[in-house]
Amino acid sequence: MTSPKPYVDYKFLGVKPFTKSLDEAGVTYTIFSDPAANFLFTARADLFNRDEDVIEVGKCTNSDINVYFAQFGIKITPSFKSFIVFIFDHHPSIDEMSVTAAGIEEIIMRHLDGVDVNDIIKRRDDPEASSS
């Protein structure tokens, strides 16, 4: 039996950061200077590179949205990061962030199977290509 996850849900976003989606939707948020990010960059140096990856903890601040999030951006090619966001109903602790981070590699690999990086590049360079 697996232990319960500390997060409510997660979403694999591909190359688009969650914060960009929030900006586009007009959702306000705060990014915290969270000790969990520094901890993970040190404790999980096998997975996270401080110079290339992103670990952010934030909270949506719109009055109708009361969720916390942890956004991870893992560099997958010289030009792209793969983003995944975890939604929490509370500010995640360092221990909860460690548990969450332990499953990231498997989630990213599962979602990247079958992804053609050339297709992503084509869509980025030609916005019309993404609508087909």
Side-chain angles (χ1 to χ4, degrees):
M1 188 165 159
T2 61
S3 60
K5 304 293 184 218
Y7 50 87
V8 175
D9 203 359
Y10 76 90
K11 175 102 173 131
F12 179 80
L13 303 171
V15 297
K16 185 177 182 179
F18 182 63
T19 49
K20 183 171 182 170
S21 296
L22 291 175
D23 291 337
E24 290 171 352
V27 175
T28 57
Y29 59 91
T30 298
I31 299 293
F32 301 107
S33 177
D34 200 284
N38 285 330
F39 174 80
L40 290 174
F41 280 125
T42 301
R44 293 299 314 266
D46 60 315
L47 181 59
F48 303 115
N49 180 320
R50 187 180 304 272
D51 296 327
E52 297 178 342
D53 300 326
V54 172
I55 302 173
E56 295 177 319
V57 176
K59 180 183 183 193
C60 294
T61 55
N62 285 37
S63 61
D64 57 336
I65 303 173
N66 188 26
V67 298
Y68 291 83
F69 60 88
Q71 170 175 254
F72 293 82
I74 312 296
K75 189 169 186 176
I76 56 172
T77 72
S79 304
F80 292 102
K81 290 181 179 75
S82 178
F83 286 89
I84 184 169
V85 65
F86 294 87
I87 305 298
F88 294 83
D89 60 4
H90 61 281
H91 192 124
S93 68
I94 290 176
D95 289 341
E96 290 171 325
M97 288 289 288
S98 294
V99 169
T100 300
I104 286 179
E105 192 170 22
E106 178 187 336
I107 291 169
I108 289 174
M109 295 311 294
R110 187 170 60 234
H111 283 86
L112 287 179
D113 282 347
V115 171
D116 183 352
V117 174
N118 291 321
D119 184 48
I120 295 170
I121 293 169
K122 188 184 310 177
R123 283 186 281 160
R124 182 194 69 179
D125 293 339
D126 180 11
E128 294 296 316
S130 64
S131 62
S132 55

